[in-house]
Every structure is written in C-alpha cells, then in structure tokens.
Amino acid sequence: MLWVKSLHIVFIASWFAGLLYLPRIFVNLAMVSPSSVAERDRLLLMARKLLRFTTLLAYPALAFGLWLWLGYGIGRGPGNGWMHAKLAAVLLALAYHFYCAQLLKDFIANRNQRGHVWFRWFNEAPVVLLLIIVVLVVVKPF
C-alpha cells in the first residue's frame, strides 16, 4: 500500500505542477502582440505539449487514488467526511484541467477574449485547490 500511496503522491504532484504552469503560459499568450507569430507559435507548442503531458500524469494519479480508496478502503466508513470533501476538490481540479484544454483550443483558434490579468487570477485556482486537498488529507478535519 505504501508503494501505491507514494506513486499517487508523485503523480499528483507532477499533475499539479502542470496545472500551475499551463495557465502561466496562457498569461504569456494573452500578452503576445499579433505581429509576433513565432513567439505565439512557440508558446502554443509549449502549452500543447504541457497539456498532453499533464493529462498523461492525471490518469495514473487518479487510478492510484481509486486503488487506495476502493482497494484499501482508505477514507471509507464513519468519520471520513474529509474524503468526500477531498473527492469534491479533486473533481474541481479535473474540471479546471478540462477548462484549461478548452482555453488552449480557443488560443489555437484565435478566439481568446480575455486579457493577461484574468489569466493571472485564473493561475491561482490550482494553488487554492492543492492547498485544500493537502489540508484535507493531512489534517482530516471532519
């Protein structure tokens, strides 16, 4: 079980690293002038590769988490409300991930309607989610 837990933590940390960096690329994309085609193309390439890599990391992270939850019974039974809250936060992180994919499609199609300030704020969402998840797992407040 400790091996599975360790792998889960490694893949989650790597997944969140991508979720923290991808919106930062969006900030830069929103700041690129229309005449800087090479810079825009380079940033789009970076964002596509990072999204693909981040998505590949999310699958094993979720699989190991399900294995721990269903296979070992972690977080089941009375007094484990923290697990339900953690799962809700994980679902929000997944929604954020898929929304990032949609935003990247909008950038690729030149349909972005938001400025770099909006993306700076958007970049803070995974930090809040990660903090919530870590506190729920470590502190287990309910």
Side-chain angles (χ1 to χ4, degrees):
M1 175 175 82
L2 292 178
W3 282 100
V4 175
K5 205 182 264 191
S6 298
L7 289 171
H8 176 63
I9 291 168
V10 168
F11 279 102
I12 288 294
S14 301
W15 176 41
F16 265 91
L19 287 182
L20 292 168
Y21 189 58
L22 184 59
R24 184 63 204 160
I25 295 174
F26 293 162
V27 170
N28 294 331
L29 274 166
M31 294 175 66
V32 170
S33 71
S35 62
S36 297
V37 177
E39 182 181 4
R40 183 180 182 281
D41 288 346
R42 185 172 45 257
L43 288 168
L44 286 174
L45 177 66
M46 289 171 57
R48 278 195 306 269
K49 287 183 174 187
L50 182 59
L51 180 65
R52 185 175 343 137
F53 183 68
T54 303
T55 302
L56 288 173
L57 291 170
Y59 290 128
L62 294 169
F64 287 130
L66 285 173
W67 186 356
L68 290 166
W69 183 41
L70 300 173
Y72 289 101
I74 293 176
R76 291 173 33 193
N80 287 304
W82 64 271
M83 180 58 89
H84 294 93
K86 176 195 169 195
L87 291 174
V90 169
L91 288 175
L92 286 173
L94 284 169
Y96 184 87
H97 181 109
F98 288 118
Y99 189 56
C100 282
Q102 182 57 50
L103 289 171
L104 179 56
K105 288 178 186 175
D106 289 346
F107 272 113
I108 291 169
N110 268 332
R111 290 189 310 248
N112 175 46
Q113 300 296 319
R114 295 184 169 91
H116 67 94
V117 175
W118 186 89
F119 285 105
R120 287 179 195 276
W121 283 102
F122 181 73
N123 190 34
E124 301 306 320
V127 175
V128 173
L129 284 171
L130 183 60
L131 179 64
I132 290 169
I133 291 169
V134 169
V135 167
L136 288 169
V137 170
V138 174
V139 178
K140 296 179 174 79
F142 30 174

Coordinates of all heavy atoms in Angstrom, one line a residue, residues 6 18 27-28 42-43 53 59 62 66 72 81 93 97 99 113-117 119-120 124-125 133-136 142:
S6 N 2.8 6.2 -2.4 CA 3.9 7.0 -2.9 C 3.8 7.4 -4.3 O 4.0 8.6 -4.7 CB 5.2 6.3 -2.7 OG 5.4 6.0 -1.3
G18 N 2.0 20.8 -13.7 CA 1.5 21.2 -15.0 C 0.3 22.1 -14.9 O 0.2 23.1 -15.7
V27 N -1.0 33.3 -19.7 CA -0.7 34.7 -19.4 C 0.2 35.3 -20.5 O -0.1 36.3 -21.1 CB -0.1 34.9 -18.0 CG1 0.4 36.3 -17.8 CG2 -1.0 34.5 -16.9
N28 N 1.2 34.5 -20.8 CA 2.2 35.0 -21.9 C 1.5 35.0 -23.2 O 1.8 36.0 -24.0 CB 3.4 34.1 -21.9 CG 4.2 34.2 -20.6 OD1 4.2 35.2 -20.0 ND2 4.9 33.1 -20.2
R42 N 5.5 29.3 -30.7 CA 6.3 28.7 -29.7 C 5.6 28.4 -28.4 O 5.6 27.4 -27.8 CB 7.6 29.5 -29.4 CG 8.6 28.8 -28.5 CD 9.9 29.5 -28.4 NE 9.9 30.9 -28.2 CZ 10.1 31.8 -29.2 NH1 10.4 31.5 -30.4 NH2 10.0 33.1 -28.9
L43 N 4.8 29.5 -27.9 CA 4.0 29.3 -26.7 C 2.9 28.3 -26.8 O 2.6 27.5 -25.9 CB 3.5 30.7 -26.2 CG 4.5 31.7 -25.7 CD1 3.9 33.1 -25.6 CD2 5.0 31.2 -24.3
F53 N 1.2 16.2 -21.6 CA 2.0 15.5 -20.5 C 1.2 15.5 -19.2 O 1.2 14.5 -18.5 CB 3.3 16.2 -20.3 CG 4.2 15.6 -19.3 CD1 4.8 14.4 -19.5 CD2 4.5 16.3 -18.1 CE1 5.6 13.8 -18.6 CE2 5.3 15.7 -17.2 CZ 5.9 14.5 -17.4
Y59 N -4.0 10.5 -15.4 CA -4.6 9.2 -15.4 C -4.0 8.2 -14.3 O -4.8 7.7 -13.6 CB -4.5 8.5 -16.8 CG -5.4 9.2 -17.8 CD1 -4.8 9.7 -19.0 CD2 -6.7 9.4 -17.6 CE1 -5.6 10.3 -20.0 CE2 -7.5 10.0 -18.6 CZ -7.0 10.5 -19.8 OH -7.7 11.1 -20.7
L62 N -5.1 9.4 -10.8 CA -6.5 9.0 -10.4 C -6.6 7.5 -10.2 O -7.3 7.1 -9.3 CB -7.4 9.5 -11.5 CG -7.5 11.0 -11.7 CD1 -8.3 11.4 -12.9 CD2 -8.2 11.7 -10.4
L66 N -7.9 5.9 -6.8 CA -9.1 4.9 -6.8 C -8.7 3.6 -6.2 O -9.4 3.0 -5.4 CB -9.6 4.7 -8.2 CG -10.5 5.9 -8.7 CD1 -10.8 5.6 -10.2 CD2 -11.7 6.1 -7.9
Y72 N -8.1 -0.4 -0.8 CA -7.6 -0.5 0.6 C -8.6 0.1 1.6 O -8.4 0.1 2.8 CB -6.3 0.2 0.7 CG -5.2 -0.5 0.1 CD1 -4.7 -0.1 -1.2 CD2 -4.6 -1.6 0.7 CE1 -3.6 -0.8 -1.8 CE2 -3.5 -2.3 0.1 CZ -3.1 -1.9 -1.2 OH -2.1 -2.6 -1.8
G81 N -15.5 12.1 6.5 CA -16.0 13.2 5.7 C -15.0 13.9 4.9 O -15.2 14.5 3.8
A93 N -10.5 20.1 -9.5 CA -9.2 20.1 -10.2 C -9.4 19.5 -11.6 O -8.8 20.0 -12.6 CB -8.2 19.4 -9.4
H97 N -8.7 21.3 -15.2 CA -7.9 20.7 -16.2 C -8.6 20.7 -17.5 O -8.0 21.2 -18.6 CB -7.5 19.3 -15.8 CG -6.7 18.5 -16.7 ND1 -5.4 18.2 -16.4 CD2 -6.9 18.0 -18.0 CE1 -4.8 17.6 -17.4 NE2 -5.7 17.5 -18.4
Y99 N -11.1 22.6 -18.4 CA -11.3 24.0 -18.9 C -10.0 24.6 -19.5 O -10.0 25.3 -20.4 CB -11.8 24.9 -17.7 CG -12.2 26.2 -18.1 CD1 -13.2 26.4 -19.1 CD2 -11.6 27.4 -17.5 CE1 -13.6 27.7 -19.5 CE2 -12.0 28.6 -17.9 CZ -13.0 28.8 -18.9 OH -13.4 30.1 -19.3
Q113 N -10.7 35.8 -25.7 CA -11.3 37.1 -25.4 C -10.9 37.7 -24.1 O -11.5 38.7 -23.7 CB -12.9 37.0 -25.4 CG -13.4 36.5 -26.7 CD -13.2 37.4 -27.9 OE1 -13.3 38.6 -27.7 NE2 -12.8 36.9 -29.0
R114 N -10.0 37.1 -23.4 CA -9.6 37.5 -22.1 C -8.2 38.1 -22.1 O -7.3 37.7 -22.9 CB -9.6 36.4 -21.1 CG -11.1 35.9 -20.9 CD -11.1 34.8 -19.8 NE -12.4 34.5 -19.5 CZ -13.2 33.6 -20.0 NH1 -12.7 32.9 -21.0 NH2 -14.4 33.3 -19.6
G115 N -7.9 39.0 -21.2 CA -6.6 39.6 -21.0 C -5.7 38.9 -20.1 O -6.1 37.9 -19.4
H116 N -4.4 39.3 -20.0 CA -3.5 38.6 -19.2 C -3.8 38.7 -17.7 O -3.4 37.8 -17.0 CB -2.0 39.1 -19.5 CG -1.8 40.5 -19.1 ND1 -1.3 40.9 -17.9 CD2 -2.1 41.7 -19.7 CE1 -1.2 42.2 -17.7 NE2 -1.7 42.7 -18.9
V117 N -4.5 39.8 -17.3 CA -4.8 39.9 -15.9 C -5.8 38.8 -15.5 O -5.6 38.2 -14.4 CB -5.4 41.3 -15.6 CG1 -5.8 41.4 -14.1 CG2 -4.3 42.4 -15.9
F119 N -6.0 35.9 -16.7 CA -5.3 34.6 -16.7 C -4.3 34.6 -15.5 O -4.1 33.5 -14.9 CB -4.5 34.4 -18.0 CG -5.4 33.9 -19.1 CD1 -5.7 34.8 -20.1 CD2 -5.9 32.7 -19.1 CE1 -6.5 34.4 -21.2 CE2 -6.7 32.3 -20.2 CZ -7.0 33.1 -21.2
R120 N -3.9 35.7 -15.0 CA -3.1 35.7 -13.8 C -3.9 35.3 -12.6 O -3.5 34.5 -11.7 CB -2.5 37.1 -13.5 CG -1.4 37.5 -14.4 CD -0.9 38.9 -14.1 NE -0.1 39.4 -15.2 CZ 1.2 39.2 -15.4 NH1 1.8 38.4 -14.5 NH2 1.9 39.7 -16.4
E124 N -4.2 31.2 -10.2 CA -4.2 31.0 -8.7 C -5.1 29.9 -8.3 O -5.0 29.3 -7.2 CB -4.5 32.3 -8.0 CG -3.5 33.4 -8.3 CD -2.1 33.1 -8.0 OE1 -1.8 32.4 -7.0 OE2 -1.2 33.5 -8.9
A125 N -6.1 29.5 -9.1 CA -7.0 28.5 -8.7 C -6.4 27.1 -8.3 O -6.8 26.5 -7.3 CB -8.1 28.3 -9.8
I133 N -6.8 20.3 -0.8 CA -6.6 18.9 -0.9 C -5.6 18.4 0.2 O -5.8 17.5 0.9 CB -6.2 18.4 -2.3 CG1 -7.4 18.6 -3.2 CG2 -5.8 17.0 -2.3 CD1 -7.1 18.4 -4.7
V134 N -4.5 19.1 0.3 CA -3.4 18.7 1.2 C -3.9 18.9 2.6 O -3.7 18.0 3.5 CB -2.1 19.6 1.0 CG1 -1.1 19.4 2.1 CG2 -1.5 19.2 -0.3
V135 N -4.6 19.9 3.0 CA -5.1 20.1 4.3 C -6.1 19.0 4.6 O -6.1 18.5 5.7 CB -5.8 21.5 4.5 CG1 -6.6 21.6 5.7 CG2 -4.7 22.6 4.5
L136 N -7.0 18.7 3.7 CA -8.0 17.6 3.9 C -7.3 16.3 4.2 O -7.8 15.5 5.0 CB -9.0 17.5 2.8 CG -10.0 18.7 2.6 CD1 -10.7 18.6 1.3 CD2 -11.0 18.6 3.8
F142 N -12.8 16.6 9.2 CA -14.1 16.0 9.5 C -14.1 14.6 9.1 O -13.5 14.1 8.4 CB -15.2 16.8 9.0 CG -15.1 17.6 7.7 CD1 -16.2 18.2 7.2 CD2 -13.9 17.9 7.1 CE1 -16.1 19.0 6.1 CE2 -13.8 18.6 6.0 CZ -15.0 19.2 5.4

